[in-house]
Amino acid sequence: MPLVTTPAIILHAFKYSDTSKIVRLATREYGVQSAIAKGASRPKSRFGASLQVLSQGTAHLYFRPTAELQTLSAFDVAEQHPALAHDLGRYAAASALAELMLRCAPSEPHLALFDFVGAQLDHLATVPPQRVATAALAGLWAMVTALGFAPTVSACVRDGRALDEGAVGFSVPDGGFLCARCTRERTTTVLEGPDRRALEQLLAGSDELPAGWTSRHAAAHRRLLARFIEHHLAEGHPLKALAFWETAAWNGTS
Ligand SMILES: [Zn+2]
């Protein structure tokens, strides 16, 4: 079995048997992989504390393309992001992003997506505190877009008609904004002008605070994004980290 090295991000880790751990890794060259780290739960394991969720580094794998479980020989940590571990808002958003990568990424290697997730973790760890909420929204919408599910906001998603100025309907099942006629016919979330502009700004990748932004707006945008992901990407499976991020129970705004 060849030993390969690849940049990797630890998306999930759990104890296996008395002495080992299983990690789920996003790897740059080999896609998302599961690997056993034998002996990683022993007190004097050579893995030490390297196998923390959200750590970025280099994985050394005994790799067989057809195997469901690879063997992790070592993991050299390059970045462990203590800021993510010590701030629940940052941690919840980063965990939701990692969960999307784990559950919704294509099985084949996707270099751009791997680099994108790494950059988003860096950004969530370093963005100023007042922008964590908007950085999380912009980052998760960008992940949705990177996975191929970008919402349509330039014209009516159903018939391509031009959108009215100001308030506009957003249909989660249809996947975007609706013209006035379709808004009357469909059950939609109506976004008033400021919320519509905020969504357009977030989809453009900005974490600047939209005008008049409050925790109520943040909660409504989290709810809309979580419903969109659940409908289009989750295929009926619960996404626990996304649900935790959406309720934002840590700051009492749920
Ligand atoms: Zn329409």
Side-chain angles (χ1 to χ4, degrees):
M1 221 184 319
L3 181 65
V4 301
T5 61
T6 175
I9 302 167
I10 299 179
L11 302 175
H12 189 60
F14 58 94
K15 209 171 167 203
Y16 178 75
S17 77
D18 286 341
T19 56
S20 298
K21 283 184 179 173
I22 288 177
V23 292
R24 307 288 306 276
L25 300 164
T27 74
R28 192 159 194 274
E29 278 96 4
Y30 305 95
V32 175
Q33 295 285 340
S34 298
I36 185 163
K38 290 177 182 165
S41 296
R42 290 188 199 278
K44 290 183 179 170
S45 160
R46 67 183 184 286
F47 289 101
S50 66
L51 302 182
Q52 307 288 325
V53 173
L54 305 177
S55 290
Q56 294 169 263
T58 301
H60 303 254
L61 290 164
Y62 288 104
F63 184 74
R64 281 186 301 166
T66 55
E68 290 200 358
L69 187 65
Q70 310 296 342
T71 300
L72 186 68
S73 165
F75 188 82
D76 304 327
V77 175
E79 181 54 73
Q80 228 155 17
H81 293 308
L84 295 180
H86 294 126
D87 179 314
L88 266 174
R90 296 177 198 270
Y91 179 78
S95 298
L97 198 76
E99 183 177 61
L100 276 185
M101 186 67 178
L102 182 61
R103 301 287 293 280
C104 307
S107 54
E108 63 271 18
H110 194 314
L111 270 57
L113 194 58
F114 177 85
D115 292 343
F116 168 81
V117 170
Q120 283 296 324
L121 294 182
D122 291 340
H123 186 59
L124 286 168
T126 54
V127 69
Q130 67 274 20
R131 290 196 191 175
V132 170
T134 43
L137 284 160
L140 284 164
W141 274 121
M143 184 73 181
V144 168
T145 297
L147 290 168
F149 293 88
T152 299
V153 293
S154 56
C156 176
V157 65
R158 293 187 75 214
D159 55 23
R161 279 198 178 84
L163 301 169
D164 284 351
E165 297 293 317
V168 68
F170 185 96
S171 165
V172 167
D174 290 315
F177 286 157
L178 299 176
C179 67
R181 181 187 299 188
C182 291
T183 297
R184 282 192 295 275
E185 293 171 358
R186 308 282 287 174
T187 304
T188 61
T189 303
V190 174
L191 298 187
E192 301 295 334
D195 269 327
R196 172 186 179 176
R197 283 189 292 280
L199 179 59
E200 287 166 345
Q201 191 176 317
L202 293 164
L203 285 168
S206 169
D207 56 26
E208 297 276 338
L209 294 190
W213 184 259
T214 65
S215 62
R216 186 185 65 77
H217 293 97
H221 279 269
R222 280 198 307 274
R223 202 154 48 237
L224 184 71
L225 173 54
R227 280 175 49 217
F228 191 92
I229 290 172
E230 281 157 12
H231 187 93
H232 292 283
L233 283 88
E235 295 173 342
H237 299 292
L239 293 173
K240 289 182 187 170
L242 181 74
F244 179 72
W245 169 77
E246 192 222 319
T247 57
W250 64 88
N251 63 13
T253 58
S254 59

